[in-house]
């Protein structure tokens, strides 16, 4: 009888101990799960969202200009203008308020880089090394002339590597740069909201 009594007394004590252990385990702090609503903003980042209609205007304007340039280049067999002018059109239509998108920078920048490219081609011939130096010098010339337009560096590279005839290439380059600017002006007037282009001409 004494053995059964002691066993009966010990059993509740063990049960109470297990209950206290479970209570302590439940009281331990658990790592908080990351809120699902915060994951998407982190992936998007801090980049500003485009205004409604901006994407449509930018894409339509840049595409229309490039189709015209391709048609002109195919007609006169000078398709090498497409890479630098495509970048120019993208800048004019996507960030029209920046200094490198203004008409002074677009037109004068391409013409200055063309001069550097032909100077390097005439002095040292067609070579990737000469093209690289011409691109660097073009950037320096544009900076000094206050006509920053990074896509124009590609104009110097194209001239050194492809050796286009300046009698047809330079007038086409000037006309194409002017076309990019005029297209930017037209689309800026067509939309009711957004940044006006150009901010200044010269």
């Amino acid at each position: 009888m004494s053995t059964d009594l002691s066993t009966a007394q010990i059993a509740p004590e063990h049960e109470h101990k297990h209950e206290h252990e479970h209570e302590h385990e439940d009281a331990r702090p658990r790592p908080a799960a990351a809120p699902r609503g915060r994951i998407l903003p982190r992936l998007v980042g801090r980049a500003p969202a485009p205004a409604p209609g901006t994407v449509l205007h930018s894409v339509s304007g840049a595409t229309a200009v490039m189709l015209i340039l391709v048609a002109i280049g195919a007609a006169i067999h000078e398709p090498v203008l497409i890479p630098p002018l495509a970048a120019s059109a993208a800048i004019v239509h996507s960030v029209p308020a920046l200094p490198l998108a203004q008409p002074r920078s677009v037109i004068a920048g391409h013409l200055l880089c063309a001069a550097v490219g032909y100077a390097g081609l005439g002095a040292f011939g067609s070579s990737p090394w000469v093209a690289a130096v011409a691109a660097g010098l073009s950037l320096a010339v544009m900076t000094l002339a206050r006509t920053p337009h990074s896509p124009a560096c590609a104009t110097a590279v194209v001239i050194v590597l492809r050796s286009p005839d300046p009698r047809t290439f330079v007038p086409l380059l000037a006309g194409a740069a002017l076309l990019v600017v005029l297209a930017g002006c037209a689309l800026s007037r067509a939309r009711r909201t957004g940044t006006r282009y150009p901010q200044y001409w010269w």
Side-chain angles (χ1 to χ4, degrees):
M1 291 291 293
S2 60
T3 306
D4 294 340
L5 182 61
S6 60
T7 305
Q9 291 176 346
I10 293 172
E13 292 179 359
H14 282 292
E15 291 178 0
H16 286 299
K17 286 183 180 180
H18 285 302
E19 289 178 0
H20 286 300
E21 288 177 0
H22 286 302
E23 289 178 0
H24 286 300
E25 290 178 358
D26 294 338
R28 291 176 185 174
R30 297 179 180 179
R36 294 182 180 180
R38 296 182 181 178
I39 297 176
L40 185 60
R42 289 180 181 177
L43 294 176
V44 174
R46 297 184 178 180
T54 301
V55 176
L56 178 62
H57 280 90
S58 301
V59 171
S60 60
T63 304
V65 170
M66 292 314 303
L67 289 174
I68 295 173
L69 292 177
V70 168
I72 296 173
I76 64 175
H77 306 289
E78 284 288 358
V80 294
L81 274 177
I82 296 173
L85 268 298
S88 296
I91 287 176
V92 167
H93 292 284
S94 60
V95 283
L98 293 185
L100 72 164
Q102 305 312 309
R104 170 192 174 102
S105 297
V106 176
I107 299 172
H110 278 291
L111 293 177
L112 287 173
C113 291
V116 173
Y118 279 114
L121 179 64
F124 303 104
S126 180
S127 166
W129 303 99
V130 178
V133 174
L137 292 177
S138 296
L139 185 60
V141 169
M142 286 190 294
T143 302
L144 293 174
R146 294 183 297 167
T147 58
H149 190 66
S150 50
C153 293
T155 298
V157 173
V158 165
I159 289 173
V160 173
L161 295 180
R162 298 296 299 270
S163 306
D165 187 352
R167 293 172 297 179
T168 58
F169 185 83
V170 174
L172 179 60
L173 175 66
L178 180 61
L179 178 62
V180 169
V181 169
L182 293 179
C185 294
L187 284 177
S188 177
R189 300 297 184 271
R191 63 173 180 255
R192 298 179 180 178
T193 59
T195 305
R196 288 299 175 187
Y197 179 83
Q199 300 289 302
Y200 57 86
W201 282 91
W202 194 257

